[in-house]
Amino acid sequence: MSPSPPESPASGPAPTPGSASGPAPAPTPGPEPAAAPTPDPGPAPAPIRLLIVDDDPLVRAGLRLMLGGGSSGIEIVAEASDGAEVAALVDRHHPDVVLMDIRMPTVDGLAATEQLRRRERAPEVVILTTFNADEHVLRALRAGAAGFVLKDTPPAELVAAVRRVAAGEPVLSPVVTAQLIEHVAGSGRDGRRVRAGALLDRLNDREREVAIAVGQGRSNAEISAALFMSVATVKAHVSRILTKLDLNNRVQIALLAHDAGLLD
C-alpha cells in the first residue's frame, strides 16, 4: 500500500509572530498639537482728539451725541462757543482736529482758522457750515482748513470726515471745490490765475504733475499708478510741494491748481 500524502497547510495568511489572533488594536492617539498662538494685535490706536467750536449749544450737544460714541474712535476733548476761546483750548487739550463753525459773534471761524493754521503743529480744521457755496468757506479753505461739512451731514459721514482729516486726507471733492470757486469767484479770477501760475512755476515738471493730480482729487495710490512712481515717492513730492509753496495741506494745492487753470 502506498503511503498517504502529507497534509497541506491551512489556507490563509500566516499569523504575524508575536501577534494575537483577531484585528490589531487601534493605535493610541498622541497628544493634540498645541494651537498656534494668536498674534498680539498690539495696543489699540489712540482716539482722535476733537475740539468742537460752535456758538449754538444745541448744535454742540448734537455733535457731541453723534461723534462721541465709544465705537467712533473719536474723543471730544473740549467745546468752545466762540473762536476767541480756540487758542487757549488747543494749548490745553492738544486736539488732532477742530470742527469749526464759520459764523460766531466775537471771533468767527475764518479768523480763528487763520490764527490756528499759522501755528506750528497746528491741528487740522474742518469748517462746519449751513452753506456749500460761501465766500467765508472758500477763504477758510485758502487759510488752511482741510475741508468743510454741512450741519445736516448724516452722523456716519461726519465721523468719516473727521477720521479722514485726522489721517491727512481732505474732505472736499474737486467738483465741490470748482463749484465753490465759480460761485464766489467775482472779479479777482485773473489776479488769482497770475498768482497761482507764478507759485506753481517754482515746481519742477514731476512736482507739477503731482500737483495737478492732487487737484484732480486723486489719492496717493491713484497718483502712484497714473504717474508710475511708488506711493512713498508721491508722498515725498506732495511734502516738497507744500514746503516750496508754503502751503498747509492738499486742499490748498488743489485750489492753486484750479486757480492756475490747470484743471480746465
Side-chain angles (χ1 to χ4, degrees):
M1 181 182 261
S2 303
S4 299
E7 291 185 4
S8 59
S11 62
T16 304
S19 67
S21 61
T28 303
E32 291 288 335
T38 304
D40 184 1
I48 299 165
R49 299 173 62 80
L50 178 69
L51 168 62
I52 296 174
V53 186
D54 195 291
D55 64 327
D56 188 335
L58 291 179
V59 171
R60 295 200 307 272
L63 291 170
R64 186 166 60 249
L65 185 64
M66 287 189 288
L67 294 168
S71 61
S72 70
I74 298 169
E75 178 187 1
I76 299 172
V77 295
E79 298 176 18
S81 59
D82 192 85
E85 306 168 29
V86 170
L89 290 174
V90 167
D91 287 338
R92 187 179 309 151
H93 298 284
H94 307 290
D96 303 304
V97 179
V98 178
L99 190 56
M100 182 90 74
D101 186 20
I102 200 73
R103 288 176 173 82
M104 290 177 288
T106 307
V107 176
D108 65 19
L110 172 61
T113 298
E114 289 173 338
Q115 294 169 7
L116 201 55
R117 293 300 298 170
R118 285 196 292 263
R119 299 162 59 119
E120 290 188 12
R121 294 186 291 277
E124 298 292 348
V125 177
V126 180
I127 295 299
L128 188 64
T129 181
T130 54
F131 304 99
N132 61 1
D134 182 275
E135 181 180 1
H136 294 294
V137 173
L138 183 56
R139 286 178 61 193
L141 295 174
R142 293 190 187 282
F148 74 89
V149 292
L150 300 179
K151 289 190 176 182
D152 60 357
T153 299
E157 293 180 21
L158 196 55
V159 170
V162 172
R163 287 175 173 169
R164 285 185 60 187
V165 167
E169 301 175 19
V171 286
L172 191 67
S173 73
V175 173
V176 173
T177 305
Q179 291 174 345
L180 185 60
I181 291 174
E182 292 299 325
H183 186 81
V184 299
S187 59
R189 179 181 302 176
D190 291 341
R192 287 198 307 274
R193 177 166 290 207
V194 171
R195 175 182 173 276
L199 282 172
L200 292 171
D201 283 344
R202 299 178 187 176
L203 306 179
N204 62 37
D205 291 342
R206 205 56 164 159
E207 290 164 349
R208 192 179 182 89
E209 289 178 327
V210 172
I212 293 171
V214 169
Q216 293 167 339
R218 297 188 179 188
S219 66
N220 287 341
E222 290 168 337
I223 298 173
S224 168
L227 299 183
F228 305 102
M229 61 177 71
S230 70
V231 171
T233 302
V234 174
K235 291 180 179 179
H237 279 309
V238 171
S239 180
R240 281 197 293 271
I241 292 168
L242 294 173
T243 300
K244 279 187 175 183
L245 305 186
D246 194 24
L247 302 178
N248 281 291
N249 55 37
R250 296 168 75 103
V251 171
Q252 290 182 321
I253 297 175
L255 289 171
L256 267 184
H258 186 280
D259 285 346
L262 300 180
L263 307 182
D264 296 343

